[in-house]
Amino acid sequence: MIIIKKPVITEKMTAISEKLNKYAFIVDKNANKIEIKKAVEKLYDVKVEAVNTMNYQGKKKSRYTKAGVVTGRRPAFKKAVVTLKEGDTIDFFSNI
């Protein structure tokens, strides 16, 4: 099972990571905080102090087409905000 799907890289999360040493990831919906902590420590070789998780419902979306209004939903997801130990950092752009 893949626990960490992708990091959240937005202006808001970049500012929080620089200021408070917190990083966000989209994670598997069934993963718990302990599994997320172990996965981040193994993948990025850092020490995790805390993990906060949030479950998001999928947004309703609709668009107008020739066939009429098409409605649907974006998929639901789980987000984890990971607080790292003082001095540890994660550089998402080092592999580019």
Side-chain angles (χ1 to χ4, degrees), residues 5-63:
K5 294 183 179 179
K6 65 180 182 178
V8 177
I9 303 172
T10 59
E11 285 186 35
K12 186 174 183 179
M13 275 315 303
T14 304
I16 290 172
S17 65
E18 290 172 359
K19 197 177 289 184
L20 302 174
N21 209 21
K22 294 184 178 188
Y23 298 87
F25 300 94
I26 303 295
V27 296
D28 186 74
K29 288 177 75 170
N30 299 319
N32 61 33
K33 292 182 180 186
I34 297 165
E35 293 172 338
I36 294 166
K37 178 180 176 177
K38 288 179 183 176
V40 170
E41 287 179 345
K42 183 179 177 187
L43 192 61
Y44 294 104
D45 196 34
V46 292
K47 184 74 176 130
V48 175
E49 281 189 355
V51 178
N52 299 88
T53 59
M54 294 150 265
N55 283 309
Y56 287 90
Q57 291 297 321
K59 287 184 177 179
K60 284 187 177 179
K61 294 284 187 174
S62 61
R63 64 175 184 249

Side-chain angles (χ1 to χ4, degrees), residues 21 23 40 46-49 82-86 88-90:
N21 209 21
Y23 298 87
V40 170
V46 292
K47 184 74 176 130
V48 175
E49 281 189 355
V82 176
T83 305
L84 299 183
K85 188 180 154 210
E86 196 71 36
D88 284 350
T89 58
I90 296 174

